[in-house]
Amino acid sequence: MIQIEHVYKSFSGRTVLHDVSLEISEGCTQAIIGQSGSGKSVLMKHLIGLLRPDRGRILVNQVDIGQINYSELREVRQQFGVLFQGGALFDSMSAFDNVAFPLRTFTRKTDQEIQLEVQKCLDLVQLSNIGLKNPDELSGGMRKRVALARAIALRPRYILYDEPTSGLDPETSNAINQLIKGLADRLDITSVVITHDMHSVLSIADHVAFIHNSRMHWNGSVDELQDSDDEILRSFITANEYRIGPSSSS
């Protein structure tokens, strides 16, 4: 379980997160939505200790990650896989070596064991035969899949997705959404998805948190989202060109 308790964060006097609290249950897919600059990605960075709150705390399985040393934080981070917005692949490495990187860095597996694990990960993201290709030989959607294969290489307990469908066409976005949902079910992973793509939210999320003006404005299930008459929330949804209601499918 991840618990975000009364978190505040400011940069150069500008408040980015103001008294934000959220509890993310094991096994669920939690979407965090909001306008650009609302603090979504800043909040994600707090979950793996890349940023520390000015006030408040982040607990991962009851461990306050703001109060542990770097060695202990590294151990906590190994429970997380991260799919960054741009994929963040190493351009000088093949797809295989990108996926192998965390295994070579954080485990003592043999080369043969790593080869088997990498192939399993590539199979899971439906890219079985591209291990020798470099990132510049792959489409945007394929690069996202390789990055996702790398994110699951250590079999994490949690995966953080930062705008996973950003820059992708609708068909590829749908494929990525189905992959996220499938991996959550197949690997029993808790997923946290930072996004403004309401189609993704309705396709994959169990729960939704809406950050507005640096505050946690709304939090609830997808069904509650569909039924909500909160004007600020619905204005955000409408601005993203998706109309939802009790009759909409999720």
Side-chain angles (χ1 to χ4, degrees):
M1 177 182 292
I2 300 172
Q3 295 162 282
I4 301 163
E5 297 183 347
H6 305 290
V7 166
Y8 290 76
K9 187 66 179 180
S10 298
F11 297 102
S12 302
R14 184 176 73 87
T15 299
V16 179
L17 297 173
H18 181 96
D19 194 20
V20 170
S21 295
L22 180 66
E23 186 172 290
I24 302 172
S25 300
E26 291 291 311
C28 84
T29 296
Q30 172 75 58
I32 301 177
I33 63 174
Q35 296 175 340
S36 297
S38 63
K40 305 186 302 297
S41 294
V42 170
L43 181 60
M44 188 190 80
K45 290 176 182 177
H46 279 77
L47 301 186
I48 50 176
L50 291 176
L51 294 173
R52 297 197 176 192
D54 299 333
R55 290 160 54 191
R57 60 182 189 164
I58 307 288
L59 290 91
V60 178
N61 303 319
Q62 303 300 317
V63 175
D64 183 348
I65 64 172
Q67 300 298 320
I68 57 179
N69 61 39
Y70 182 70
S71 177
E72 294 168 324
L73 180 59
R74 277 173 61 92
E75 291 184 12
V76 171
R77 284 176 175 168
Q78 288 181 46
Q79 300 179 52
F80 287 84
V82 183
L83 179 63
F84 296 99
Q85 184 170 343
L89 296 177
F90 299 111
D91 292 335
S92 60
M93 294 184 182
S94 67
F96 178 95
D97 286 332
N98 267 279
V99 180
F101 181 81
L103 294 166
R104 290 169 174 158
T105 303
F106 297 110
T107 76
R108 296 182 178 180
K109 292 182 181 294
T110 65
D111 288 344
Q112 184 177 10
E113 289 171 330
I114 288 174
Q115 184 168 352
L116 290 172
E117 284 297 319
V118 170
Q119 193 57 54
K120 286 179 184 177
C121 292
L122 290 173
D123 290 345
L124 282 169
V125 299
Q126 301 165 14
L127 288 178
S128 300
N129 301 312
I130 57 85
L132 297 179
K133 292 184 179 294
N134 288 329
D136 62 3
E137 299 178 271
L138 304 175
S139 67
M142 293 172 76
R143 288 194 294 271
K144 286 282 178 81
R145 287 172 182 264
V146 172
L148 184 50
R150 183 178 62 187
I152 64 174
L154 295 176
R155 293 297 187 263
R157 192 168 182 172
Y158 309 99
I159 297 186
L160 309 181
Y161 297 90
D162 188 9
E163 299 286 0
T165 60
S166 176
L168 302 179
D169 62 79
E171 183 177 357
T172 305
S173 294
N174 286 337
I176 293 294
N177 287 334
Q178 291 305 309
L179 193 56
I180 292 171
K181 188 172 180 62
L183 288 175
D185 295 338
R186 189 168 180 178
L187 302 179
D188 193 25
I189 287 174
T190 301
S191 304
V192 182
V193 184
I194 307 297
T195 186
H196 62 270
D197 181 346
M198 291 309 302
H199 179 70
S200 288
V201 171
L202 295 177
S203 297
I204 66 176
D206 300 310
H207 297 278
V208 184
F210 174 47
I211 299 179
H212 178 69
N213 287 343
S214 305
R215 301 171 185 261
M216 185 62 69
H217 180 82
W218 187 94
N219 180 31
S221 69
V222 169
D223 288 340
E224 290 169 333
L225 176 75
Q226 292 178 305
D227 291 335
S228 175
D229 58 3
D230 184 284
E231 292 184 3
I232 295 175
L233 175 62
R234 297 196 70 83
S235 177
F236 171 80
I237 294 166
T238 301
N240 283 276
E241 299 180 348
Y242 288 94
R243 297 179 62 189
I244 65 173
S247 62
S248 299
S249 62
S250 60

